[in-house]
PDB file of all heavy atoms in Angstrom:
ATOM      1  N   ALA A  17     133.496 -58.664 -70.055  1.00 68.00           N
ATOM      2  CA  ALA A  17     133.949 -58.848 -71.430  1.00 68.00           C
ATOM      3  C   ALA A  17     133.716 -60.275 -71.910  1.00 68.00           C
ATOM      4  O   ALA A  17     133.437 -60.518 -73.087  1.00 68.00           O
ATOM      5  CB  ALA A  17     135.426 -58.489 -71.544  1.00 68.00           C
ATOM      6  N   SER A  18     133.813 -61.229 -70.980  1.00 62.00           N
ATOM      7  CA  SER A  18     133.591 -62.622 -71.363  1.00 62.00           C
ATOM      8  C   SER A  18     132.147 -62.874 -71.788  1.00 62.00           C
ATOM      9  O   SER A  18     131.851 -63.852 -72.471  1.00 62.00           O
ATOM     10  CB  SER A  18     133.959 -63.555 -70.196  1.00 62.00           C
ATOM     11  OG  SER A  18     133.064 -63.365 -69.104  1.00 62.00           O
ATOM     12  N   HIS A  19     131.251 -61.967 -71.372  1.00 61.00           N
ATOM     13  CA  HIS A  19     129.846 -62.072 -71.779  1.00 61.00           C
ATOM     14  C   HIS A  19     129.511 -61.091 -72.906  1.00 61.00           C
ATOM     15  O   HIS A  19     128.341 -60.873 -73.217  1.00 61.00           O
ATOM     16  CB  HIS A  19     128.925 -61.797 -70.584  1.00 61.00           C
ATOM     17  CG  HIS A  19     129.013 -62.844 -69.512  1.00 61.00           C
ATOM     18  ND1 HIS A  19     129.949 -62.784 -68.500  1.00 61.00           N
ATOM     19  CD2 HIS A  19     128.307 -63.991 -69.309  1.00 61.00           C
ATOM     20  CE1 HIS A  19     129.798 -63.847 -67.706  1.00 61.00           C
ATOM     21  NE2 HIS A  19     128.820 -64.584 -68.177  1.00 61.00           N
ATOM     22  N   GLY A  20     130.552 -60.475 -73.466  1.00 60.00           N
ATOM     23  CA  GLY A  20     130.342 -59.578 -74.600  1.00 60.00           C
ATOM     24  C   GLY A  20     129.840 -58.201 -74.239  1.00 60.00           C
ATOM     25  O   GLY A  20     129.386 -57.465 -75.089  1.00 60.00           O
ATOM     26  N   ASP A  21     129.953 -57.817 -72.943  1.00 55.00           N
ATOM     27  CA  ASP A  21     129.422 -56.516 -72.529  1.00 55.00           C
ATOM     28  C   ASP A  21     130.474 -55.418 -72.496  1.00 55.00           C
ATOM     29  O   ASP A  21     130.153 -54.247 -72.342  1.00 55.00           O
ATOM     30  CB  ASP A  21     128.799 -56.633 -71.127  1.00 55.00           C
ATOM     31  CG  ASP A  21     127.593 -57.545 -71.113  1.00 55.00           C
ATOM     32  OD1 ASP A  21     126.911 -57.589 -72.142  1.00 55.00           O
ATOM     33  OD2 ASP A  21     127.351 -58.206 -70.087  1.00 55.00           O
ATOM     34  N   ALA A  22     131.749 -55.757 -72.586  1.00 56.00           N
ATOM     35  CA  ALA A  22     132.793 -54.742 -72.480  1.00 56.00           C
ATOM     36  C   ALA A  22     134.073 -55.274 -73.097  1.00 56.00           C
ATOM     37  O   ALA A  22     134.218 -56.468 -73.330  1.00 56.00           O
ATOM     38  CB  ALA A  22     133.029 -54.362 -71.002  1.00 56.00           C
ATOM     39  N   ARG A  23     134.999 -54.383 -73.350  1.00 63.00           N
ATOM     40  CA  ARG A  23     136.278 -54.784 -73.896  1.00 63.00           C
ATOM     41  C   ARG A  23     137.141 -55.392 -72.792  1.00 63.00           C
ATOM     42  O   ARG A  23     137.230 -54.866 -71.688  1.00 63.00           O
ATOM     43  CB  ARG A  23     136.993 -53.564 -74.491  1.00 63.00           C
ATOM     44  CG  ARG A  23     138.266 -53.932 -75.248  1.00 63.00           C
ATOM     45  CD  ARG A  23     138.892 -52.695 -75.848  1.00 63.00           C
ATOM     46  NE  ARG A  23     139.304 -51.751 -74.816  1.00 63.00           N
ATOM     47  CZ  ARG A  23     139.839 -50.573 -75.085  1.00 63.00           C
ATOM     48  NH1 ARG A  23     139.991 -50.194 -76.339  1.00 63.00           N
ATOM     49  NH2 ARG A  23     140.202 -49.771 -74.110  1.00 63.00           N
ATOM     50  N   ALA A  24     137.804 -56.492 -73.101  1.00 69.00           N
ATOM     51  CA  ALA A  24     138.613 -57.191 -72.105  1.00 69.00           C
ATOM     52  C   ALA A  24     139.846 -56.370 -71.747  1.00 69.00           C
ATOM     53  O   ALA A  24     140.355 -55.584 -72.539  1.00 69.00           O
ATOM     54  CB  ALA A  24     139.034 -58.557 -72.644  1.00 69.00           C
ATOM     55  N   VAL A  25     140.327 -56.562 -70.527  1.00 73.00           N
ATOM     56  CA  VAL A  25     141.599 -55.984 -70.103  1.00 73.00           C
ATOM     57  C   VAL A  25     142.710 -56.755 -70.809  1.00 73.00           C
ATOM     58  O   VAL A  25     142.741 -57.982 -70.782  1.00 73.00           O
ATOM     59  CB  VAL A  25     141.753 -56.074 -68.577  1.00 73.00           C
ATOM     60  CG1 VAL A  25     143.088 -55.490 -68.139  1.00 73.00           C
ATOM     61  CG2 VAL A  25     140.603 -55.331 -67.887  1.00 73.00           C
ATOM     62  N   SER A  26     143.637 -56.031 -71.450  1.00 80.00           N
ATOM     63  CA  SER A  26     144.657 -56.683 -72.266  1.00 80.00           C
ATOM     64  C   SER A  26     145.711 -57.354 -71.391  1.00 80.00           C
ATOM     65  O   SER A  26     145.838 -57.066 -70.197  1.00 80.00           O
ATOM     66  CB  SER A  26     145.327 -55.664 -73.190  1.00 80.00           C
ATOM     67  OG  SER A  26     146.114 -54.757 -72.422  1.00 80.00           O
ATOM     68  N   ALA A  27     146.503 -58.243 -72.025  1.00 84.00           N
ATOM     69  CA  ALA A  27     147.583 -58.927 -71.304  1.00 84.00           C
ATOM     70  C   ALA A  27     148.611 -57.923 -70.777  1.00 84.00           C
ATOM     71  O   ALA A  27     149.133 -58.073 -69.666  1.00 84.00           O
ATOM     72  CB  ALA A  27     148.250 -59.945 -72.228  1.00 84.00           C
ATOM     73  N   ARG A  28     148.899 -56.884 -71.578  1.00 84.00           N
ATOM     74  CA  ARG A  28     149.846 -55.867 -71.119  1.00 84.00           C
ATOM     75  C   ARG A  28     149.307 -55.130 -69.890  1.00 84.00           C
ATOM     76  O   ARG A  28     150.044 -54.831 -68.947  1.00 84.00           O
ATOM     77  CB  ARG A  28     150.106 -54.870 -72.261  1.00 84.00           C
ATOM     78  CG  ARG A  28     150.956 -53.677 -71.845  1.00 84.00           C
ATOM     79  CD  ARG A  28     151.248 -52.768 -73.045  1.00 84.00           C
ATOM     80  NE  ARG A  28     150.044 -52.404 -73.763  1.00 84.00           N
ATOM     81  CZ  ARG A  28     149.202 -51.443 -73.356  1.00 84.00           C
ATOM     82  NH1 ARG A  28     149.430 -50.805 -72.215  1.00 84.00           N
ATOM     83  NH2 ARG A  28     148.142 -51.139 -74.061  1.00 84.00           N
ATOM     84  N   GLN A  29     147.994 -54.833 -69.908  1.00 81.00           N
ATOM     85  CA  GLN A  29     147.406 -54.157 -68.748  1.00 81.00           C
ATOM     86  C   GLN A  29     147.410 -55.058 -67.519  1.00 81.00           C
ATOM     87  O   GLN A  29     147.653 -54.594 -66.398  1.00 81.00           O
ATOM     88  CB  GLN A  29     145.980 -53.701 -69.084  1.00 81.00           C
ATOM     89  CG  GLN A  29     145.947 -52.541 -70.058  1.00 81.00           C
ATOM     90  CD  GLN A  29     144.533 -52.129 -70.404  1.00 81.00           C
ATOM     91  OE1 GLN A  29     143.697 -52.957 -70.738  1.00 81.00           O
ATOM     92  NE2 GLN A  29     144.256 -50.842 -70.319  1.00 81.00           N
ATOM     93  N   TRP A  30     147.149 -56.361 -67.720  1.00 85.00           N
ATOM     94  CA  TRP A  30     147.233 -57.286 -66.584  1.00 85.00           C
ATOM     95  C   TRP A  30     148.643 -57.313 -66.011  1.00 85.00           C
ATOM     96  O   TRP A  30     148.834 -57.346 -64.794  1.00 85.00           O
ATOM     97  CB  TRP A  30     146.815 -58.697 -67.017  1.00 85.00           C
ATOM     98  CG  TRP A  30     145.347 -58.952 -66.927  1.00 85.00           C
ATOM     99  CD1 TRP A  30     144.490 -59.194 -67.959  1.00 85.00           C
ATOM    100  CD2 TRP A  30     144.544 -58.983 -65.737  1.00 85.00           C
ATOM    101  NE1 TRP A  30     143.204 -59.367 -67.482  1.00 85.00           N
ATOM    102  CE2 TRP A  30     143.204 -59.244 -66.129  1.00 85.00           C
ATOM    103  CE3 TRP A  30     144.817 -58.804 -64.384  1.00 85.00           C
ATOM    104  CZ2 TRP A  30     142.166 -59.341 -65.217  1.00 85.00           C
ATOM    105  CZ3 TRP A  30     143.772 -58.892 -63.469  1.00 85.00           C
ATOM    106  CH2 TRP A  30     142.469 -59.156 -63.883  1.00 85.00           C
ATOM    107  N   LEU A  31     149.659 -57.303 -66.889  1.00 88.00           N
ATOM    108  CA  LEU A  31     151.048 -57.260 -66.412  1.00 88.00           C
ATOM    109  C   LEU A  31     151.289 -56.001 -65.594  1.00 88.00           C
ATOM    110  O   LEU A  31     151.927 -56.037 -64.530  1.00 88.00           O
ATOM    111  CB  LEU A  31     152.006 -57.323 -67.610  1.00 88.00           C
ATOM    112  CG  LEU A  31     153.501 -57.169 -67.281  1.00 88.00           C
ATOM    113  CD1 LEU A  31     153.971 -58.290 -66.355  1.00 88.00           C
ATOM    114  CD2 LEU A  31     154.331 -57.137 -68.569  1.00 88.00           C
ATOM    115  N   GLY A  32     150.769 -54.878 -66.084  1.00 84.00           N
ATOM    116  CA  GLY A  32     150.919 -53.633 -65.342  1.00 84.00           C
ATOM    117  C   GLY A  32     150.228 -53.671 -63.996  1.00 84.00           C
ATOM    118  O   GLY A  32     150.767 -53.187 -62.988  1.00 84.00           O
ATOM    119  N   LEU A  33     149.041 -54.259 -63.945  1.00 81.00           N
ATOM    120  CA  LEU A  33     148.304 -54.365 -62.689  1.00 81.00           C
ATOM    121  C   LEU A  33     149.063 -55.230 -61.679  1.00 81.00           C
ATOM    122  O   LEU A  33     149.148 -54.897 -60.492  1.00 81.00           O
ATOM    123  CB  LEU A  33     146.912 -54.937 -62.946  1.00 81.00           C
ATOM    124  CG  LEU A  33     145.934 -54.006 -63.683  1.00 81.00           C
ATOM    125  CD1 LEU A  33     144.746 -54.791 -64.204  1.00 81.00           C
ATOM    126  CD2 LEU A  33     145.479 -52.881 -62.766  1.00 81.00           C
ATOM    127  N   VAL A  34     149.626 -56.344 -62.152  1.00 86.00           N
ATOM    128  CA  VAL A  34     150.386 -57.220 -61.261  1.00 86.00           C
ATOM    129  C   VAL A  34     151.655 -56.523 -60.780  1.00 86.00           C
ATOM    130  O   VAL A  34     152.015 -56.599 -59.598  1.00 86.00           O
ATOM    131  CB  VAL A  34     150.719 -58.549 -61.978  1.00 86.00           C
ATOM    132  CG1 VAL A  34     151.678 -59.380 -61.134  1.00 86.00           C
ATOM    133  CG2 VAL A  34     149.451 -59.340 -62.255  1.00 86.00           C
ATOM    134  N   LEU A  35     152.355 -55.831 -61.686  1.00 86.00           N
ATOM    135  CA  LEU A  35     153.550 -55.085 -61.294  1.00 86.00           C
ATOM    136  C   LEU A  35     153.209 -54.014 -60.260  1.00 86.00           C
ATOM    137  O   LEU A  35     153.924 -53.828 -59.271  1.00 86.00           O
ATOM    138  CB  LEU A  35     154.176 -54.420 -62.518  1.00 86.00           C
ATOM    139  CG  LEU A  35     155.350 -55.113 -63.199  1.00 86.00           C
ATOM    140  CD1 LEU A  35     155.817 -54.287 -64.392  1.00 86.00           C
ATOM    141  CD2 LEU A  35     156.494 -55.342 -62.226  1.00 86.00           C
ATOM    142  N   GLY A  36     152.100 -53.299 -60.514  1.00 80.00           N
ATOM    143  CA  GLY A  36     151.691 -52.260 -59.571  1.00 80.00           C
ATOM    144  C   GLY A  36     151.372 -52.819 -58.204  1.00 80.00           C
ATOM    145  O   GLY A  36     151.756 -52.254 -57.176  1.00 80.00           O
ATOM    146  N   LEU A  37     150.687 -53.965 -58.166  1.00 82.00           N
ATOM    147  CA  LEU A  37     150.348 -54.582 -56.886  1.00 82.00           C
ATOM    148  C   LEU A  37     151.603 -55.055 -56.165  1.00 82.00           C
ATOM    149  O   LEU A  37     151.732 -54.890 -54.942  1.00 82.00           O
ATOM    150  CB  LEU A  37     149.397 -55.755 -57.114  1.00 82.00           C
ATOM    151  CG  LEU A  37     148.872 -56.462 -55.859  1.00 82.00           C
ATOM    152  CD1 LEU A  37     148.108 -55.489 -54.987  1.00 82.00           C
ATOM    153  CD2 LEU A  37     147.990 -57.642 -56.235  1.00 82.00           C
ATOM    154  N   GLY A  38     152.560 -55.629 -56.920  1.00 85.00           N
ATOM    155  CA  GLY A  38     153.809 -56.060 -56.305  1.00 85.00           C
ATOM    156  C   GLY A  38     154.600 -54.893 -55.742  1.00 85.00           C
ATOM    157  O   GLY A  38     155.132 -54.955 -54.624  1.00 85.00           O
ATOM    158  N   GLY A  39     154.665 -53.801 -56.500  1.00 80.00           N
ATOM    159  CA  GLY A  39     155.356 -52.616 -55.997  1.00 80.00           C
ATOM    160  C   GLY A  39     154.667 -52.023 -54.790  1.00 80.00           C
ATOM    161  O   GLY A  39     155.312 -51.582 -53.829  1.00 80.00           O
ATOM    162  N   LEU A  40     153.351 -52.020 -54.812  1.00 75.00           N
ATOM    163  CA  LEU A  40     152.572 -51.535 -53.673  1.00 75.00           C
ATOM    164  C   LEU A  40     152.882 -52.355 -52.421  1.00 75.00           C
ATOM    165  O   LEU A  40     153.085 -51.809 -51.331  1.00 75.00           O
ATOM    166  CB  LEU A  40     151.095 -51.622 -54.011  1.00 75.00           C
ATOM    167  CG  LEU A  40     150.090 -51.185 -52.956  1.00 75.00           C
ATOM    168  CD1 LEU A  40     150.259 -49.720 -52.641  1.00 75.00           C
ATOM    169  CD2 LEU A  40     148.679 -51.458 -53.445  1.00 75.00           C
ATOM    170  N   ALA A  41     152.957 -53.669 -52.566  1.00 78.00           N
ATOM    171  CA  ALA A  41     153.257 -54.531 -51.425  1.00 78.00           C
ATOM    172  C   ALA A  41     154.643 -54.237 -50.861  1.00 78.00           C
ATOM    173  O   ALA A  41     154.844 -54.208 -49.641  1.00 78.00           O
ATOM    174  CB  ALA A  41     153.145 -55.992 -51.837  1.00 78.00           C
ATOM    175  N   LEU A  42     155.632 -54.005 -51.746  1.00 78.00           N
ATOM    176  CA  LEU A  42     156.984 -53.697 -51.274  1.00 78.00           C
ATOM    177  C   LEU A  42     157.010 -52.403 -50.469  1.00 78.00           C
ATOM    178  O   LEU A  42     157.727 -52.290 -49.478  1.00 78.00           O
ATOM    179  CB  LEU A  42     157.936 -53.588 -52.465  1.00 78.00           C
ATOM    180  CG  LEU A  42     158.453 -54.889 -53.078  1.00 78.00           C
ATOM    181  CD1 LEU A  42     159.338 -54.582 -54.280  1.00 78.00           C
ATOM    182  CD2 LEU A  42     159.217 -55.718 -52.056  1.00 78.00           C
ATOM    183  N   VAL A  43     156.241 -51.423 -50.914  1.00 70.00           N
ATOM    184  CA  VAL A  43     156.250 -50.117 -50.241  1.00 70.00           C
ATOM    185  C   VAL A  43     155.643 -50.198 -48.847  1.00 70.00           C
ATOM    186  O   VAL A  43     156.177 -49.657 -47.880  1.00 70.00           O
ATOM    187  CB  VAL A  43     155.508 -49.070 -51.098  1.00 70.00           C
ATOM    188  CG1 VAL A  43     155.300 -47.776 -50.313  1.00 70.00           C
ATOM    189  CG2 VAL A  43     156.293 -48.791 -52.372  1.00 70.00           C
ATOM    190  N   VAL A  44     154.523 -50.888 -48.724  1.00 70.00           N
ATOM    191  CA  VAL A  44     153.790 -50.844 -47.455  1.00 70.00           C
ATOM    192  C   VAL A  44     154.004 -52.078 -46.585  1.00 70.00           C
ATOM    193  O   VAL A  44     153.519 -52.121 -45.455  1.00 70.00           O
ATOM    194  CB  VAL A  44     152.275 -50.643 -47.699  1.00 70.00           C
ATOM    195  CG1 VAL A  44     152.018 -49.380 -48.490  1.00 70.00           C
ATOM    196  CG2 VAL A  44     151.688 -51.851 -48.420  1.00 70.00           C
ATOM    197  N   TRP A  45     154.752 -53.080 -47.084  1.00 71.00           N
ATOM    198  CA  TRP A  45     154.864 -54.324 -46.332  1.00 71.00           C
ATOM    199  C   TRP A  45     155.477 -54.116 -44.952  1.00 71.00           C
ATOM    200  O   TRP A  45     155.076 -54.738 -43.976  1.00 71.00           O
ATOM    201  CB  TRP A  45     155.691 -55.333 -47.133  1.00 71.00           C
ATOM    202  CG  TRP A  45     155.680 -56.708 -46.537  1.00 71.00           C
ATOM    203  CD1 TRP A  45     156.652 -57.293 -45.779  1.00 71.00           C
ATOM    204  CD2 TRP A  45     154.619 -57.661 -46.632  1.00 71.00           C
ATOM    205  NE1 TRP A  45     156.259 -58.550 -45.411  1.00 71.00           N
ATOM    206  CE2 TRP A  45     155.025 -58.808 -45.915  1.00 71.00           C
ATOM    207  CE3 TRP A  45     153.366 -57.654 -47.263  1.00 71.00           C
ATOM    208  CZ2 TRP A  45     154.212 -59.937 -45.812  1.00 71.00           C
ATOM    209  CZ3 TRP A  45     152.577 -58.777 -47.163  1.00 71.00           C
ATOM    210  CH2 TRP A  45     153.004 -59.901 -46.446  1.00 71.00           C
ATOM    211  N   ARG A  46     156.468 -53.227 -44.866  1.00 65.00           N
ATOM    212  CA  ARG A  46     157.126 -53.019 -43.573  1.00 65.00           C
ATOM    213  C   ARG A  46     156.182 -52.397 -42.540  1.00 65.00           C
ATOM    214  O   ARG A  46     156.449 -52.431 -41.347  1.00 65.00           O
ATOM    215  CB  ARG A  46     158.343 -52.115 -43.736  1.00 65.00           C
ATOM    216  CG  ARG A  46     157.986 -50.678 -44.050  1.00 65.00           C
ATOM    217  CD  ARG A  46     159.209 -49.775 -44.050  1.00 65.00           C
ATOM    218  NE  ARG A  46     158.805 -48.379 -44.107  1.00 65.00           N
ATOM    219  CZ  ARG A  46     158.489 -47.656 -43.040  1.00 65.00           C
ATOM    220  NH1 ARG A  46     158.509 -48.199 -41.839  1.00 65.00           N
ATOM    221  NH2 ARG A  46     158.131 -46.390 -43.189  1.00 65.00           N
ATOM    222  N   LYS A  47     155.085 -51.807 -43.019  1.00 61.00           N
ATOM    223  CA  LYS A  47     154.135 -51.163 -42.111  1.00 61.00           C
ATOM    224  C   LYS A  47     153.168 -52.148 -41.472  1.00 61.00           C
ATOM    225  O   LYS A  47     152.370 -51.771 -40.614  1.00 61.00           O
ATOM    226  CB  LYS A  47     153.341 -50.079 -42.866  1.00 61.00           C
ATOM    227  CG  LYS A  47     154.188 -48.917 -43.369  1.00 61.00           C
ATOM    228  CD  LYS A  47     153.329 -47.960 -44.177  1.00 61.00           C
ATOM    229  CE  LYS A  47     154.126 -46.756 -44.637  1.00 61.00           C
ATOM    230  NZ  LYS A  47     154.413 -45.826 -43.530  1.00 61.00           N
ATOM    231  N   LEU A  48     153.199 -53.398 -41.922  1.00 62.00           N
ATOM    232  CA  LEU A  48     152.259 -54.371 -41.381  1.00 62.00           C
ATOM    233  C   LEU A  48     152.745 -54.820 -40.006  1.00 62.00           C
ATOM    234  O   LEU A  48     153.441 -55.817 -39.856  1.00 62.00           O
ATOM    235  CB  LEU A  48     152.123 -55.568 -42.331  1.00 62.00           C
ATOM    236  CG  LEU A  48     151.656 -55.230 -43.752  1.00 62.00           C
ATOM    237  CD1 LEU A  48     151.569 -56.498 -44.589  1.00 62.00           C
ATOM    238  CD2 LEU A  48     150.324 -54.527 -43.723  1.00 62.00           C
ATOM    239  N   GLY A  49     152.393 -54.059 -38.980  1.00 57.00           N
ATOM    240  CA  GLY A  49     152.850 -54.358 -37.635  1.00 57.00           C
ATOM    241  C   GLY A  49     152.124 -55.548 -37.027  1.00 57.00           C
ATOM    242  O   GLY A  49     150.964 -55.806 -37.302  1.00 57.00           O
ATOM    243  N   ALA A  50     152.841 -56.269 -36.186  1.00 50.00           N
ATOM    244  CA  ALA A  50     152.245 -57.441 -35.531  1.00 50.00           C
ATOM    245  C   ALA A  50     151.147 -56.999 -34.570  1.00 50.00           C
ATOM    246  O   ALA A  50     151.298 -56.062 -33.805  1.00 50.00           O
ATOM    247  CB  ALA A  50     153.322 -58.205 -34.773  1.00 50.00           C
ATOM    248  N   GLY A  51     150.012 -57.693 -34.638  1.00 58.00           N
ATOM    249  CA  GLY A  51     148.932 -57.450 -33.700  1.00 58.00           C
ATOM    250  C   GLY A  51     148.001 -56.317 -34.071  1.00 58.00           C
ATOM    251  O   GLY A  51     147.035 -56.061 -33.353  1.00 58.00           O
ATOM    252  N   GLU A  52     148.270 -55.618 -35.177  1.00 65.00           N
ATOM    253  CA  GLU A  52     147.422 -54.473 -35.518  1.00 65.00           C
ATOM    254  C   GLU A  52     146.162 -54.873 -36.280  1.00 65.00           C
ATOM    255  O   GLU A  52     145.244 -54.079 -36.411  1.00 65.00           O
ATOM    256  CB  GLU A  52     148.215 -53.464 -36.349  1.00 65.00           C
ATOM    257  CG  GLU A  52     148.475 -53.906 -37.779  1.00 65.00           C
ATOM    258  CD  GLU A  52     149.127 -52.821 -38.615  1.00 65.00           C
ATOM    259  OE1 GLU A  52     149.906 -52.038 -38.064  1.00 65.00           O
ATOM    260  OE2 GLU A  52     148.851 -52.777 -39.820  1.00 65.00           O
ATOM    261  N   VAL A  53     146.127 -56.101 -36.793  1.00 71.00           N
ATOM    262  CA  VAL A  53     145.013 -56.532 -37.632  1.00 71.00           C
ATOM    263  C   VAL A  53     144.016 -57.331 -36.806  1.00 71.00           C
ATOM    264  O   VAL A  53     144.384 -58.259 -36.080  1.00 71.00           O
ATOM    265  CB  VAL A  53     145.519 -57.386 -38.813  1.00 71.00           C
ATOM    266  CG1 VAL A  53     144.347 -57.960 -39.591  1.00 71.00           C
ATOM    267  CG2 VAL A  53     146.403 -56.554 -39.730  1.00 71.00           C
ATOM    268  N   THR A  54     142.751 -56.932 -36.894  1.00 78.00           N
ATOM    269  CA  THR A  54     141.664 -57.654 -36.232  1.00 78.00           C
ATOM    270  C   THR A  54     140.567 -57.916 -37.270  1.00 78.00           C
ATOM    271  O   THR A  54     140.515 -57.245 -38.310  1.00 78.00           O
ATOM    272  CB  THR A  54     141.079 -56.842 -35.074  1.00 78.00           C
ATOM    273  OG1 THR A  54     140.434 -55.666 -35.598  1.00 78.00           O
ATOM    274  CG2 THR A  54     142.168 -56.423 -34.078  1.00 78.00           C
ATOM    275  N   PRO A  55     139.688 -58.868 -37.016  1.00 81.00           N
ATOM    276  CA  PRO A  55     138.589 -59.089 -37.959  1.00 81.00           C
ATOM    277  C   PRO A  55     137.767 -57.832 -38.224  1.00 81.00           C
ATOM    278  O   PRO A  55     137.318 -57.603 -39.356  1.00 81.00           O
ATOM    279  CB  PRO A  55     137.760 -60.178 -37.270  1.00 81.00           C
ATOM    280  CG  PRO A  55     138.752 -60.926 -36.435  1.00 81.00           C
ATOM    281  CD  PRO A  55     139.712 -59.877 -35.947  1.00 81.00           C
ATOM    282  N   LEU A  56     137.586 -56.977 -37.195  1.00 87.00           N
ATOM    283  CA  LEU A  56     136.764 -55.785 -37.369  1.00 87.00           C
ATOM    284  C   LEU A  56     137.441 -54.773 -38.285  1.00 87.00           C
ATOM    285  O   LEU A  56     136.820 -54.284 -39.248  1.00 87.00           O
ATOM    286  CB  LEU A  56     136.488 -55.139 -36.008  1.00 87.00           C
ATOM    287  CG  LEU A  56     135.731 -53.805 -36.049  1.00 87.00           C
ATOM    288  CD1 LEU A  56     134.379 -53.967 -36.730  1.00 87.00           C
ATOM    289  CD2 LEU A  56     135.567 -53.230 -34.641  1.00 87.00           C
ATOM    290  N   ASN A  57     138.718 -54.430 -38.014  1.00 84.00           N
ATOM    291  CA  ASN A  57     139.319 -53.385 -38.841  1.00 84.00           C
ATOM    292  C   ASN A  57     139.609 -53.860 -40.268  1.00 84.00           C
ATOM    293  O   ASN A  57     139.565 -53.082 -41.206  1.00 84.00           O
ATOM    294  CB  ASN A  57     140.558 -52.760 -38.182  1.00 84.00           C
ATOM    295  CG  ASN A  57     141.635 -53.760 -37.846  1.00 84.00           C
ATOM    296  OD1 ASN A  57     141.850 -54.732 -38.558  1.00 84.00           O
ATOM    297  ND2 ASN A  57     142.354 -53.498 -36.752  1.00 84.00           N
ATOM    298  N   VAL A  58     139.876 -55.164 -40.443  1.00 84.00           N
ATOM    299  CA  VAL A  58     140.032 -55.683 -41.802  1.00 84.00           C
ATOM    300  C   VAL A  58     138.697 -55.629 -42.541  1.00 84.00           C
ATOM    301  O   VAL A  58     138.644 -55.266 -43.729  1.00 84.00           O
ATOM    302  CB  VAL A  58     140.584 -57.119 -41.782  1.00 84.00           C
ATOM    303  CG1 VAL A  58     140.468 -57.765 -43.160  1.00 84.00           C
ATOM    304  CG2 VAL A  58     142.035 -57.129 -41.340  1.00 84.00           C
ATOM    305  N   ALA A  59     137.607 -55.969 -41.860  1.00 89.00           N
ATOM    306  CA  ALA A  59     136.289 -55.904 -42.487  1.00 89.00           C
ATOM    307  C   ALA A  59     135.959 -54.466 -42.895  1.00 89.00           C
ATOM    308  O   ALA A  59     135.397 -54.230 -43.979  1.00 89.00           O
ATOM    309  CB  ALA A  59     135.227 -56.438 -41.532  1.00 89.00           C
ATOM    310  N   LEU A  60     136.312 -53.490 -42.066  1.00 92.00           N
ATOM    311  CA  LEU A  60     136.064 -52.088 -42.400  1.00 92.00           C
ATOM    312  C   LEU A  60     136.889 -51.659 -43.614  1.00 92.00           C
ATOM    313  O   LEU A  60     136.391 -50.946 -44.496  1.00 92.00           O
ATOM    314  CB  LEU A  60     136.391 -51.202 -41.195  1.00 92.00           C
ATOM    315  CG  LEU A  60     135.424 -51.301 -40.013  1.00 92.00           C
ATOM    316  CD1 LEU A  60     136.013 -50.611 -38.781  1.00 92.00           C
ATOM    317  CD2 LEU A  60     134.070 -50.684 -40.369  1.00 92.00           C
TER     318      LEU A  60
END
């Protein structure tokens, strides 16, 4: 949109996206077990 190719995402939509991401983190944060993350599985 900054190059005139598409309509920009509105401020309200950005607020919704941030709220959704925050809620998503709250839901799944407890599932982040210690030692389960490796460079390979994160890359996948």
Side-chain angles (χ1 to χ4, degrees):
S18 66
H19 293 87
D21 295 329
R23 187 178 63 182
V25 179
S26 69
R28 173 177 52 79
Q29 289 179 311
W30 273 114
L31 175 61
L33 290 165
V34 172
L35 262 180
L37 184 60
L40 179 63
L42 281 178
V43 170
V44 303
W45 189 259
R46 70 174 191 86
K47 296 176 177 287
L48 302 180
E52 73 174 33
V53 174
T54 66
L56 175 59
N57 57 35
V58 168
L60 289 168

